Amino acid sequence: MSGTTSTDPRITAAIEAGRIPKGISIAWLEESRDKPATGAIIFVTLLTGVFVLCRIASRAFVLRRTGPDDWLALLGLALLIVFVVLDIQSIDIGSGRHYDYIIYVLTPEEVNRSEIVDFAAHIVYTVALLICRVSGLTFYHRICSIHRGFRLAIQILMGVLVAGFLPQLFLIIFHCTPVTGLWPYTQTNNWQEGVEDYDCLPWGLVYSVNSAVSLFCDFLLFGIPLAMIRMLDLPRKRRLQLACILLPGILVTCISVARLVLVIEGQWNQDMSWTYNALLAVEVSEIGATLISLSIPGIKPMWDKYIRRRGHDSSSGGRSGHSTRGGTRATSITLHNLSLRPQHLNKLSSTSDCTFNDTKSRNRDDDGTASTEGIMVRVDFDMTTENGETHSQYRHSKALEAQVV
């Protein structure tokens, strides 16, 4: 061992107790990524909180209606906060330091506590992801329940999510025989006390399987809006505008891939604990990005009313949002005016609360104004037209309102 003092009191205590073997430097033990990881985790959590709370405020106070998907998102945020608290505790214990730090510096009690905290944290993480995904499915069902194929696909996907959740949860709970919150380290000569009392699966194997299942579920979940957009008969530019609202969730799949890579690297790397802090930050980002991507459409009404449309009001004196007088026109077309591609018309449900008119006749909105033929989807995506044609608005929609510039 080189050096005899340390700024870390736990390292100093380990030196005084003679637990640090020769050849391990103090500088190596003092290396830490705790502060950057904690900062990133807190930042993502705060950002997610802002998005979700703005979504709830937008739906509750601007549209004055909320749905199950909104409250599930709020529950997902609460679970994220619990997960973050447990993550920060785990980081403070030293779970993300070099593996030598865990072996030689942490006391047996601290090692056991770090494993129990990690055990509890990943149960919360698994439940939080399920709640977020169910919120997303509920949101997609509200948008496209008119289409029998989509409605059936959402129901099947719900079953897939639950079927994937149960083995994920059981692998964590029953990772050892007998069942315990501990996850004894066995990579280095079974150094942890009490390791002989348990027969455990490698944590990397469990997390790799769970990560692969999670990635598969993300592909299925965020493939739904991609299929929705492909189904609609839209010009390329308007298709891109709608994609900007519905497809941010694709980024979540990239985060899921990153988590899988970190898990594999951590399990089969000699310094296995060094990637743990990064893994926690990625897991927080996975939950946060899921909630953010599903909250973006819900924030649009608030954005339109208090930010984007303020410019229209001040320049034109017209009614906020849909049309202006004496200034630049800002007319828009709602999603309920969008038409399906012809091959999908026979899949519309006659029992849905949405209707479709493929003739030149016109439908009436709840406020008495006429709308062009198309799908009267009860969702509030407003898409500004380029030619300035006037289209009616579905002012009393049952879902999110969003304005795409």
Side-chain angles (χ1 to χ4, degrees):
M1 179 186 64
S2 60
T4 58
T5 60
S6 172
T7 56
D8 186 333
R10 288 190 291 188
I11 296 178
T12 301
I15 294 173
E16 293 174 352
R19 298 200 304 266
I20 310 295
K22 294 181 179 180
I24 298 180
S25 68
I26 301 302
W28 170 261
L29 294 175
E30 287 180 339
E31 288 185 7
S32 173
R33 298 173 177 174
D34 292 356
K35 289 183 178 179
T38 302
I41 287 171
I42 293 175
F43 172 77
V44 171
T45 305
L46 292 176
L47 182 64
T48 303
V50 169
F51 271 83
V52 174
L53 294 179
C54 285
R55 165 191 180 163
I56 299 298
S58 178
R59 295 272 293 152
F61 301 112
V62 178
L63 293 181
R64 296 183 179 180
R65 57 180 49 86
T66 57
D69 53 315
D70 301 309
W71 301 114
L72 285 170
L74 194 60
L75 176 59
L77 176 62
L79 290 172
L80 172 61
I81 294 172
V82 174
F83 180 58
V84 166
V85 171
L86 293 172
D87 285 351
I88 293 176
Q89 288 184 20
S90 187
I91 291 173
D92 289 341
I93 293 171
S95 299
R97 304 291 283 269
H98 286 297
Y99 194 42
D100 289 332
Y101 186 96
I102 294 174
I103 296 175
Y104 302 115
V105 175
L106 296 186
T107 64
E109 293 76 16
E110 289 173 328
V111 172
N112 290 346
R113 186 158 63 93
S114 71
E115 293 169 357
I116 293 172
V117 170
D118 177 80
F119 172 77
H122 281 89
I123 290 178
V124 174
Y125 164 80
T126 305
V127 174
L129 275 182
L130 175 69
I131 295 299
C132 293
R133 289 164 180 158
V134 172
S135 172
L137 281 183
T138 307
F139 168 64
Y140 295 143
H141 183 272
R142 178 156 51 83
I143 294 178
C144 59
S145 60
I146 184 176
H147 193 281
R148 290 193 301 269
F150 272 120
R151 191 168 63 248
L152 177 61
I154 290 172
Q155 293 169 352
I156 293 174
L157 183 52
M158 178 68 75
V160 172
L161 291 182
V162 174
F165 164 76
L166 292 178
Q168 286 180 309
L169 185 64
F170 291 156
L171 277 173
I172 295 175
I173 294 176
F174 302 105
H175 64 277
C176 286
T177 305
V179 175
T180 177
L182 301 176
W183 208 320
Y185 290 91
T186 59
Q187 283 76 5
T188 309
N189 300 323
N190 295 339
W191 58 269
Q192 186 175 351
E193 296 180 6
V195 65
E196 65 278 357
D197 298 333
Y198 303 98
D199 183 16
C200 300
L201 294 170
W203 75 267
L205 176 63
V206 172
Y207 284 9
S208 295
V209 172
N210 285 358
S211 296
V213 172
S214 181
L215 177 60
F216 176 70
C217 291
D218 284 338
F219 274 124
L220 294 179
L221 177 63
F222 294 109
I224 290 178
L226 181 62
M228 289 168 51
I229 293 173
R230 291 190 61 182
M231 183 186 70
L232 292 171
D233 187 13
L234 290 172
R236 179 177 299 179
K237 183 174 181 179
R238 290 176 58 204
R239 190 184 301 274
L240 180 61
Q241 290 173 329
L242 190 56
C244 289
I245 291 178
L246 293 179
L247 296 184
I250 291 178
L251 296 176
V252 178
T253 61
C254 299
I255 298 175
S256 296
V257 171
R259 179 179 188 257
L260 181 58
V261 171
L262 287 172
V263 167
I264 294 174
E265 181 180 352
Q267 170 62 33
W268 288 278
N269 191 325
Q270 185 175 1
D271 192 15
M272 55 179 299
S273 59
W274 189 238
T275 60
Y276 183 75
N277 284 353
L279 176 64
L280 293 181
V282 167
E283 289 173 343
V284 170
S285 299
E286 185 179 8
I287 300 174
T290 302
L291 288 172
I292 289 173
S293 63
L294 295 173
S295 297
I296 288 176
I299 295 175
K300 291 295 290 178
M302 180 178 292
W303 175 271
D304 292 343
K305 183 174 182 179
Y306 296 109
I307 300 178
R308 198 185 69 84
R309 294 184 181 179
R310 184 175 298 169
H312 294 302
D313 293 342
S314 61
S315 62
S316 63
R319 190 165 60 90
S320 174
H322 299 298
S323 63
T324 58
R325 297 172 185 171
T328 304
R329 295 177 62 87
T331 57
S332 60
I333 181 170
T334 55
L335 187 60
H336 73 270
N337 287 326
L338 303 179
S339 300
L340 286 172
R341 294 178 182 273
Q343 61 267 33
H344 296 283
L345 300 185
N346 61 346
K347 298 180 181 179
L348 299 179
S349 172
S350 59
T351 61
S352 173
D353 64 348
C354 307
T355 59
F356 180 83
N357 185 354
D358 59 353
T359 66
K360 295 299 181 180
S361 63
R362 308 179 73 85
N363 297 319
R364 289 275 170 182
D365 288 345
D366 288 357
D367 59 359
T369 57
S371 63
T372 60
E373 69 275 17
I375 308 172
M376 293 178 63
V377 178
R378 298 296 177 94
V379 67
D380 314 274
F381 294 101
D382 292 348
M383 302 183 67
T384 303
T385 58
E386 297 178 4
N387 55 12
E389 295 178 356
T390 301
H391 298 273
S392 64
Q393 307 300 321
Y394 191 79
R395 298 187 187 91
H396 303 290
S397 170
K398 289 185 178 180
L400 316 173
E401 183 182 34
Q403 183 77 22
V404 181
V405 180

